[in-house]
Structures are given as C-alpha cells and as structure tokens.
Amino acid sequence: MGGIDPVVLIASLMVASTPILLAAIGELVVEKAGVLNLGVEGMMILGAICGFATAVETGSPALGFVAAAIAGAAFSMIFGLLTQYLLSNQVATGLALTLFGLGLSALIGQGYVGIKAPNTPRLDLPVLSDLPIVGPILFSHDAMLYVSLLIVAGVWLFLSRTRGGLILRAVGESHDAAHALGYKVIRIRLMAIAFGGACAGLGGAYLSLVRVPQWTEGMTAGAGWIALAIVVFASWRPWYALIGAYLFGGIVVLELNLQAAGVKVPVDLLAASPYLVTILVLVLMSRSKSRAALNAPADLGRSFHATA
Amino acid sequence: MIRLEKRPNPSRLWTALTPVLAVLLTMIAGGILFAILGKDPFEAIRTIFWDPLFNEQFAAFSRPQLLVKAGPLILIAIGLSLGFRAGIWNIGAEGQYILGAVCGAAVGLAFYPSESPFIFPLMVIAGALGGWAWAMIPAVLKIKFGTNEILVSLMLVYVAEKLLASMALGALRNPEGGGFPGSRNLSQHPGTDNPELIAGTGLHWGVATAFIAVILAYILLNRHILGYQIKLAGQAPRAARFAGVNPNLLIAICLGLSGALAGLAGLFEVSGPAGQISIDFNSGYGFTAIIVAFLGRLHPVGILLAGLLMALTYIGGELAQFMLGLPAAAIQAFQGMLLFFLLGLDVLSNYRIRLTGFAAKGAS
C-alpha cells in the first residue's frame, strides 16, 4: 500500500468525480421540477463525442465544452418534446434517449477513434499551485472542474434562495397547484430538462476531453446511471450530490490504485466495485425512508396534462 | 389551437396502427440519416427490410437468421412486458441473459466430456435459475428496502459483464484452447448442443421456447387472475391494493419471471448460435428487447411480430454494413429512433386531438 500518495489520490479523485457530478447536478434540477429523465447516459455520451469532435476540429477544448453543452441540451429536448407535449411515459422515453444516444454517438464518433484530444490547460498560479498538499489539490486543476463546483453552488443558491427556484420546486411538488397559480408548468419543466441535458453534455465532454482523454464507443460505461443514483443518494440536495460524487470518485480512484499496486483481490471484483458500491448506497439510502421520501418531489415522473 | 382530450379508454384502432406508423416514420427519418451519411436512402432501406428475405443471393443465408435473432429478443421481451405492464421496470435483462448463459454453460462444462442426453435439460434449468437469481437481487432489495429496481438491475448488467470476462478468462476457459480466452465449444459437442431442429429454418430450442412463452403469456394475461392483477397494478396501483393484490409478490414474480426468461435466452444462445462463453458474448439483446416489448405494445402477439421485425433490422443492418458500408452504429441509432416515434405517436391512442378555433373558446 506504500505506493499510494494521498495528495495525488485526492487530486485525481476530484477529476474522476467531475463527470458524474456534472450529470448528477443537472439531473437533480430536472427531478426537482418533477421530471424523471433516465436518458442521462445518452445525453452524456452524446456530449462526450460532440465535445471531443469539436475540440479536435477547432483545437479548442473550451469550444468543445460549449458544443457538448449545446448538444446535450438539444438532445434532451427530444425527451422534453415527447414527455411534455406528447405526454409519453417518462421511464420509457428516458430509456429510448439512452439507447438512441449510444447509437448516435457511435455513429458520429466513427472517425474519431484513436485520436488524442487537444490538451485542456491546467490552472498554474504562481506560488499557490506550487504549495505543498494544498497546491495540487486546490489550485492545479483544469477550469472545468472549478466550473462544476460553481454550478453546484449556483444550483444550491437558485433552488433554496431565489423565487425562480421556489417556483421550480412548486412545479415539482404539485404541478396542478402550480398550474392553478398561473405558472407555466411545461415551459418551466422544459427549461429544467434543457439545463439537465447541458450539464450531462458537459459531464460527458469532461470524460472525453480531460479524464480519459480519448473517444471510445460506450465510454461513459454507466456513469450516467451512477449519476442518477447519486441524486437519490443526495436526497435531492445539491451539496450532498457533491459529497456523493466525490465519495464515488474516491472509490473509483482507489480501485484503480489498488489494481496498479497489485493488491491480491481479483481484478474483476475490483472492476465491478463501483457498481456494487452504488447498489449498496442505494440500499442504505432507501432504508432510511423518511428522510429521502420527504425530499423527493411529490410529482416526480408524473405527466402533466392541463384539463382546463 | 391544438388541444388534447384524454380518451376514457385507449383507442384500439390507434393502438394497433401506431407501431405501423412508427415503422414508416422511422424508415423516412432513417432514410434521411443514411442520406446524410452519403448512402442512397432507398437502397439502404431496401437492403435492410427487403433483401434479407427476398433477395435471391442472400435470402438462403438470411432467412434462417431471422428466427435465430428473433428468438432471444421475443423470449426476453415477453418477460419484460409483464413487469412493464405492472409498473415494475427490469432494464437489466442483459445481465440476466449473461448469467443464464454462464450458469448453463458451467453445468454443461462440468459434465464434459460426457454426452448424456440428460445434460442439456440440466443446462436449461441452470440457465433459467441463473437469470432468475440475478433478477431476484433487485426484486429482494425493492421488497425489503424499497430500492429503485431500475438502477439496481442496470448496475448489475455491468457487474455481470465483469463476471463474464472473469469466467471467459478464468474458471470456464477452455483448458485446450492454447491460453486464448473463451470456453470449450458447447454447440459442437453432443449432449450440450442446442441444434437447429428443422434444417434451414434457424429454429432451435430457444426459438421454440420463445413461441411457447408467447402462448403462455397470452393465456396468463387474458385468462388468469395473475395476469389481471398485473394489468390492474399497472393501471391503478391503489385500486389493486384494495382488490387484494400483494405488490411484493407481484414484484418477485415479474422480476423473477423476466430474469428466468432472459436467462433461458442466454443459455440457448451460448449452446447454439454463439457456441461458447467469450468476453464479448452478450450483444445487446437485453436492451433491444426493451424496444421490442414497447413496439409490440406489451402484448404477446405484438411482441412476436415486433421481435421478427427487429430481427430483420439486425440482419438487414449486417447486410447493409457488408453491401453498402453502412456503419453498425447506424442500425443502433435506427432502432432507437423507432422507439422514439412509437412513444411519441402513443399520444394518438391515449388522447383525442381537437382543433379548437376561436369559436370554441367561449364554450370551454
């Protein structure tokens, strides 16, 4: 175990967590608005390839991230259109989004296999980045990682401290009551879905541009689903989503380090551990029913159809 | 203005018509997609939907493939449809399919080199049990702790894939395989093989089982109290509880049954068309079966037809890959599109479209 450096471990767990964190915080807003979008995996992988392709073609990772956010949001609008206007089943439509996204991304990504992404620059502040321990953990990441933390803070601020956030939560708790008060339920939900799609797209692009950084088919490997689990773990609270994602990233990084260190645990068991841990966490969270149930939006996953 | 008016009951006409419309719309949208990829859209559509069945050159090879591909899709989709009707979402059929194959193959390999006729039935039982056990994990967790079965069953797909890799490289590896990953070949060994029952048709035990499953599911849903309870639980969960339906039992039955059928599909695949346990044994049948279940309107006969159609897109897709250089991913996207159109068009069966002008405004 001597080969594992805790400072490097923490720094790399932040990088490993960011894709899931981004996707989870987006989905959290969507679910707070009362919509269950199971298409996170599909939006993520589409963001991954669109961001990667744009970055390769233009040479600019920043443009790549912008493109990924746009692609994710645009893709989520298929889901929005179907569930909000055509009142389709949200579970089935979300699944369709994932299946379609996996196929479409593979199609777009054909010419991009095996290419290296342009390098995303890391923060390099004089003095601060060179500090021992604090430097590598806090001050030497890429800009997107800090953006992800800003998004979490922004979502927390929006949901708990602004009028807009109150309206969004009202729509999620009781769309009929919100509708009766004169709020545009469908429009608000569509905006939430688009935000969720943009965040998932960013998460995917972080995977293909920073974390890996390469494009391979199906590279999200369940990250979108894990993000969904993180939302449940967080009981729909933004800062808990951050904790959940970082805990999860810690497990992934630890697993990779253990593999590299040659610990005598079967490799396949280690490789399966992120998924097993996710299941374990879900079980633990659903056991304490009262707490999670209180925070779950009451109208989550139900279609809204104004009768009058 | 367009206004939607909820129908008291889903329209039977539209319920039957929407899959056909969805297929047509997918052909159009797919044609556009293929055109963007620089292929002749008409030729691509013909290659996918017509040539596998009627082209003189390919039909002899393609036609039997239709049943080979449709068998597992139908078998898995039938199981899934029961749960979907009851609002129980098993989307981890891919994992249960893998476990069925691994368990069944393990039994077959344990008896190697025996050629006893009792081995294959034992493998079938092991396969069904393997899939059942894997699906019971989300079922038990949901019953005991209220854990979301969608996420758990899906996470278990990834765990199953790791397990498959470990089996292909370790416990089940062919000792005479020169160190290459993959098990002994089951389909070329008498006693463990799942042969073509009628030459030239592609009909093997798995396809026969799928047909039987269609018939049994039809009887279950239309003539049995359990089928009624499944439908009731999906349409009116509260009413179902008052009617004495035990929701936990329903979860266990629906997940367990769909797992067992997916496990069977895996077993028949590994002992027949696939032949052996290998790292890339699973090919997404478990996920495509979700599309099949919806395309078939969660109805057994519909699923039978949808399974055949989806099998056709698989074979046609391979043919188009070979003939026109159409990428494999295009077919995957094409199948996803089909599900979108179907879900979108569903609005027609559940709602009436009313065109309301200004005159009608005062009335409402």
Side-chain angles (χ1 to χ4, degrees):
Chain A
M1 297 285 289
I4 300 175
D5 177 3
V7 173
V8 177
L9 197 70
I10 294 175
S12 53
L13 92 77
M14 293 174 78
V15 174
S17 315
T18 301
I20 307 165
L21 175 63
L22 280 164
I25 200 71
E27 177 68 12
L28 189 142
V29 172
V30 178
E31 293 193 12
K32 267 290 174 194
V35 179
L36 180 66
N37 185 355
L38 293 183
V40 183
E41 179 89 1
M43 302 186 295
M44 253 184 121
I45 194 135
L46 201 75
I49 183 55
C50 288
F52 187 83
T54 310
V56 166
E57 299 299 338
T58 63
S60 155
L63 276 180
F65 279 111
V66 172
I70 295 173
F75 196 53
S76 74
M77 279 301 101
I78 303 178
F79 174 88
L81 184 75
L82 283 168
T83 56
Q84 301 307 305
Y85 288 113
L86 299 179
L87 303 167
S88 66
N89 180 311
Q90 293 184 7
V91 173
T93 313
L95 282 175
L97 201 66
T98 291
L99 293 174
F100 184 55
L102 289 171
L104 192 63
S105 63
L107 193 59
I108 299 172
Q110 281 182 95
Y112 293 96
V113 180
I115 299 179
K116 234 185 106 48
N119 199 23
T120 309
R122 286 169 166 228
L123 204 62
D124 188 19
L125 299 173
V127 189
L128 282 179
S129 300
D130 300 328
L131 287 174
I133 304 179
V134 183
I137 293 177
L138 290 182
F139 298 111
S140 5
H141 291 293
D142 52 281
M144 203 54 214
L145 193 140
Y146 302 109
V147 170
S148 76
L149 297 174
L150 282 178
I151 292 177
V152 174
V155 165
W156 168 75
L157 211 64
F158 173 74
L159 284 178
S160 62
R161 296 284 184 277
T162 68
R163 190 176 163 73
L166 191 67
I167 296 171
L168 183 128
R169 284 186 289 144
V171 166
E173 293 298 338
S174 169
H175 45 222
D176 291 322
H179 176 69
L181 286 171
Y183 295 119
K184 306 278 182 209
V185 173
I186 291 178
R187 194 180 303 164
I188 290 164
R189 285 193 166 159
L190 281 176
M191 286 193 288
I193 294 169
F195 176 76
C199 284
L202 284 177
Y206 194 85
L207 210 55
S208 62
L209 288 176
V210 181
R211 171 107 166 85
V212 176
Q214 246 188 4
W215 163 253
T216 42
E217 271 185 34
M219 68 181 301
T220 44
W225 295 102
I226 290 167
L228 280 160
I230 298 272
V231 177
V232 179
F233 166 79
S235 314
W236 295 270
R237 288 169 297 185
W239 292 116
Y240 283 80
L242 177 72
I243 296 171
Y246 274 27
L247 276 179
F248 187 84
I251 292 163
V252 172
V253 169
L254 198 64
E255 171 237 317
L256 291 175
N257 276 286
L258 286 176
Q259 268 190 39
V263 175
K264 282 196 173 46
V265 180
V267 175
D268 298 294
L269 187 68
L270 277 178
S273 62
Y275 309 108
L276 292 171
V277 168
T278 306
I279 294 175
L280 190 73
V281 163
L282 281 171
V283 170
L284 291 177
M285 286 316 291
S286 35
R287 268 185 68 186
S288 53
K289 272 197 187 94
S290 50
R291 203 150 44 92
L294 274 178
N295 273 305
D299 270 352
L300 184 59
R302 305 222 323 250
S303 291
F304 171 70
H305 180 228
T307 43
Chain B
M1 276 290 287
I2 299 168
R3 198 161 58 87
L4 297 176
E5 191 176 279
K6 191 151 180 70
R7 296 177 195 269
N9 288 307
S11 155
R12 288 189 151 232
L13 174 71
W14 281 110
T15 306
L17 217 58
T18 43
V20 181
L21 265 180
V23 171
L24 288 177
L25 280 175
T26 311
M27 282 188 186
I28 296 170
I32 295 170
L33 176 75
F34 300 146
I36 294 171
L37 290 171
K39 315 287 175 198
D40 179 359
F42 296 101
E43 203 185 339
I45 296 289
R46 204 200 64 216
T47 310
I48 294 172
F49 288 97
W50 182 264
D51 284 354
L53 296 179
F54 304 111
N55 185 306
E56 284 166 21
Q57 199 183 339
F58 306 116
F61 170 77
S62 304
R63 263 189 218 150
Q65 281 292 311
L66 192 66
L67 285 183
V68 169
K69 301 264 188 219
L73 286 175
I74 295 171
L75 200 53
I76 300 170
I78 286 282
L80 294 181
S81 71
L82 297 177
F84 289 177
R85 269 179 185 258
I88 297 161
W89 301 91
N90 173 12
I91 57 170
E94 186 81 358
Q96 295 138 24
Y97 172 85
I98 292 174
L99 260 283
V102 167
C103 291
V107 168
L109 293 169
F111 286 103
Y112 186 86
S114 163
E115 297 179 2
S116 156
F118 294 110
I119 296 175
F120 191 66
L122 272 180
M123 287 167 66
V124 171
I125 293 169
L129 280 179
W132 173 82
W134 206 242
M136 281 314 276
I137 299 173
V140 169
L141 293 181
K142 187 177 174 70
I143 293 168
K144 286 263 177 211
F145 308 116
T147 313
N148 183 316
E149 79 278 18
I150 298 178
L151 293 172
V152 175
S153 63
L154 197 103
M155 287 294 127
L156 286 173
V157 173
Y158 295 100
V159 179
E161 280 178 354
K162 307 287 177 218
L163 190 77
L164 175 71
S166 123
M167 286 295 155
L169 294 167
L172 297 184
R173 191 169 65 182
N174 183 358
E176 291 152 27
F180 282 103
S183 72
R184 284 182 200 279
N185 195 308
L186 294 160
S187 63
Q188 287 165 16
H189 178 74
T192 61
D193 62 333
N194 169 24
E196 203 175 22
L197 296 174
I198 306 170
T201 58
L203 182 86
H204 60 69
W205 283 113
V207 181
T209 312
F211 288 145
I212 296 168
V214 168
I215 297 167
L216 290 180
Y218 185 85
I219 296 171
L220 176 77
L221 285 170
N222 292 297
R223 293 279 178 273
H224 196 279
I225 183 76
L226 181 65
Y228 171 74
Q229 290 184 341
I230 286 174
K231 287 193 270 189
L232 187 62
Q235 284 168 7
R238 259 171 72 78
R241 294 193 83 134
F242 289 130
V245 178
N246 180 348
N248 288 343
L249 189 66
L250 217 54
I251 292 168
I253 291 176
C254 286
L255 275 169
L257 204 60
S258 56
L261 290 180
L264 278 178
L267 173 273
F268 289 125
E269 193 70 16
V270 78
S271 55
Q276 56 162 183
I277 290 286
S278 55
I279 294 177
D280 52 357
F281 161 72
N282 60 317
S283 50
Y285 281 141
F287 292 115
T288 312
I290 297 172
I291 304 179
V292 171
F294 280 109
L295 186 62
R297 319 315 333 249
L298 307 182
H299 187 286
V301 179
I303 288 171
L304 178 69
L305 298 174
L308 289 169
L309 181 75
M310 206 53 96
L312 186 63
T313 65
Y314 263 117
I315 304 160
E318 276 170 19
L319 203 59
Q321 222 176 313
F322 173 66
M323 296 293 296
L324 309 171
L326 201 67
I331 295 302
Q332 210 186 339
F334 189 77
Q335 291 172 342
M337 245 193 271
L338 180 58
L339 187 50
F340 275 133
F341 280 116
L342 188 77
L343 292 167
L345 286 170
D346 248 1
V347 74
L348 296 172
S349 15
N350 293 323
Y351 294 87
R352 254 187 214 107
I353 313 280
R354 291 266 188 240
L355 293 170
T356 53
F358 290 99
K361 234 180 185 172
S364 65

